[in-house]
Amino acid sequence: MNIYGLSLQMLATAATRQSDVQNHASDRPNFHTILQRVGKTVLRPGGTNGTRMLHSWSKLNRDGTAIELSTGLGSGGVALAKATGAHVTLTDMDISRLEMMAQIACEQEVDLNMIETMHLNMRNVDEELGQRHFDTAIIEASLSHYPTEEKQAVLGGLSTHADELLLHEICFRCDDTSPKNLQHITQDMSRALAIGFHPLTLNEWTNVLDEAGYEVKQVETGPITILSPVTILQDEGPKRAAKIAWNIATDSSIRSRVVETRRTIKSHQNDIGYILIRAVVNDNDRQH
């Protein structure tokens, strides 16, 4: 068996002992950082398939403009430019992460003239965008880490700058899950990811968007498969997937963290998943 196959087997097996998450140091890196360290570029809960579906819903065209908030490595925004032909602005607080954009654009055969980068703090989106306006805004795998009131502030500020919103986040899959169980899931996932974890139910996402001035038009939900070997291969392609597999297989601490996190996600697979939402500004209730 080659290294790639061996590593995928490691990810799939439940035989590896889970690390004791109670003894993690306070400076434990968040799981997105771990994934980036091994070479993963797609960090979205529904993977590239979820992103493609979201893009297919958009009314954006080659004469339009789009902005991606907290874009990370830029793969989602680059894919949007490729899918629609529109000009896309990639924003993040960490410009060094955006430096990967050129490489990803090259890999996806996207003209760099279709892409620009901008330093932006998503929490201050209304103020920092000033008078700029976009046809479409996209947010993927970012708002789920924010408490509800901060989600509300970001989306409310954004509604004055983007007419269409494409959202790809994490949700609780059952509206009737008990508060006690939701708290348990939240604590488990926060511990595994080493970052704030604040997903909402579909009804809660709809309400937050409505309060921000957006009307939900399309919704899709599904399981989180970001650590599935098949998803990794689909998201990254054979060459990058093999590199990821090698990096996991040859680093025991990373391998332990990946297995631990995969097990935690799998234990809550019936309760959490990804959610895709297309929403448009409701002119009758738009915030100014």
Side-chain angles (χ1 to χ4, degrees):
M1 180 180 292
N2 59 29
I3 289 295
Y4 178 54
L6 177 61
S7 183
L8 294 186
Q9 185 179 41
M10 290 176 180
L11 290 175
T13 184
T16 305
R17 184 178 300 276
Q18 183 175 357
S19 301
D20 182 357
V21 297
Q22 300 298 326
N23 295 321
H24 287 313
S26 59
D27 61 350
R28 184 190 196 205
N30 68 59
F31 193 59
H32 278 185
T33 300
I34 296 295
L35 293 179
Q36 290 178 34
R37 191 177 297 170
V38 299
K40 202 164 190 326
T41 63
V42 179
L43 308 176
R44 304 180 288 277
T48 53
N49 286 340
T51 295
R52 289 191 190 107
M53 178 175 288
L54 202 60
H55 293 173
S56 73
W57 293 346
S58 177
K59 302 304 181 183
L60 192 65
N61 57 47
R62 64 173 51 253
D63 296 321
T65 58
I67 182 170
E68 182 176 29
L69 301 190
S70 192
T71 194
L73 301 179
S75 59
V78 170
L80 181 64
K82 183 175 182 177
T84 64
H87 185 273
V88 179
T89 300
L90 307 177
T91 72
D92 204 283
M93 288 187 64
D94 186 355
I95 291 296
S96 66
R97 298 173 69 193
L98 293 175
E99 292 173 358
M100 282 286 292
M101 177 272 296
Q103 178 183 341
I104 292 172
C106 182
E107 291 176 357
Q108 296 194 25
E109 300 180 343
V110 173
D111 186 346
L112 289 177
N113 291 325
M114 298 169 62
I115 305 291
E116 70 171 296
T117 60
M118 175 183 178
H119 181 272
L120 183 141
N121 182 346
M122 189 164 70
R123 287 182 169 88
N124 302 325
V125 61
D126 188 18
E127 177 183 351
E128 295 191 22
L129 285 181
Q131 299 301 310
R132 296 192 66 175
H133 187 272
F134 301 86
D135 297 300
T136 300
I138 183 166
I139 307 176
E140 298 190 275
S142 297
L143 285 178
S144 295
H145 306 306
Y146 286 15
T148 300
E149 60 273 15
E150 293 187 31
K151 291 181 177 70
Q152 182 74 57
V154 170
L155 294 169
L158 183 62
S159 69
T160 64
H161 299 277
D163 297 326
E164 178 185 60
L165 175 65
L166 305 176
L167 203 63
H168 182 174
E169 292 290 342
I170 299 175
C171 69
F172 286 119
R173 302 184 74 177
C174 298
D175 286 322
D176 58 353
T177 305
S178 72
K180 184 177 181 180
N181 192 37
L182 292 183
Q183 183 180 20
H184 170 66
I185 296 168
T186 298
Q187 290 174 343
D188 265 8
M189 292 298 297
S190 294
R191 193 160 48 238
L193 300 177
I195 196 170
F197 185 77
H198 304 282
L200 302 175
T201 65
L202 170 57
N203 285 341
E204 288 170 338
W205 274 116
T206 300
N207 291 338
V208 165
L209 287 163
D210 182 67
E211 288 295 321
Y214 281 106
E215 180 181 356
V216 172
K217 293 296 186 180
Q218 290 170 277
V219 176
E220 181 73 29
T221 62
I224 296 175
T225 59
I226 188 172
L227 296 181
S228 159
V230 172
T231 299
I232 293 173
L233 186 59
Q234 290 175 339
D235 286 351
E236 307 291 346
K239 185 176 180 179
R240 191 182 294 274
K243 179 182 177 182
I244 292 168
W246 172 264
N247 290 338
I248 293 172
T250 56
D251 189 313
S252 60
S253 62
I254 286 179
R255 185 170 65 250
S256 176
R257 179 74 182 276
V258 169
V259 171
E260 170 204 319
T261 304
R262 182 179 186 276
R263 182 178 290 118
T264 301
I265 293 173
K266 189 173 182 179
S267 71
H268 298 302
Q269 63 185 351
N270 293 326
D271 301 300
I272 59 172
Y274 71 82
I275 186 167
L276 310 175
I277 297 176
R278 175 181 173 265
V280 298
V281 164
N282 185 339
D283 289 328
N284 294 325
D285 191 35
R286 187 167 182 166
Q287 294 187 355
H288 296 280

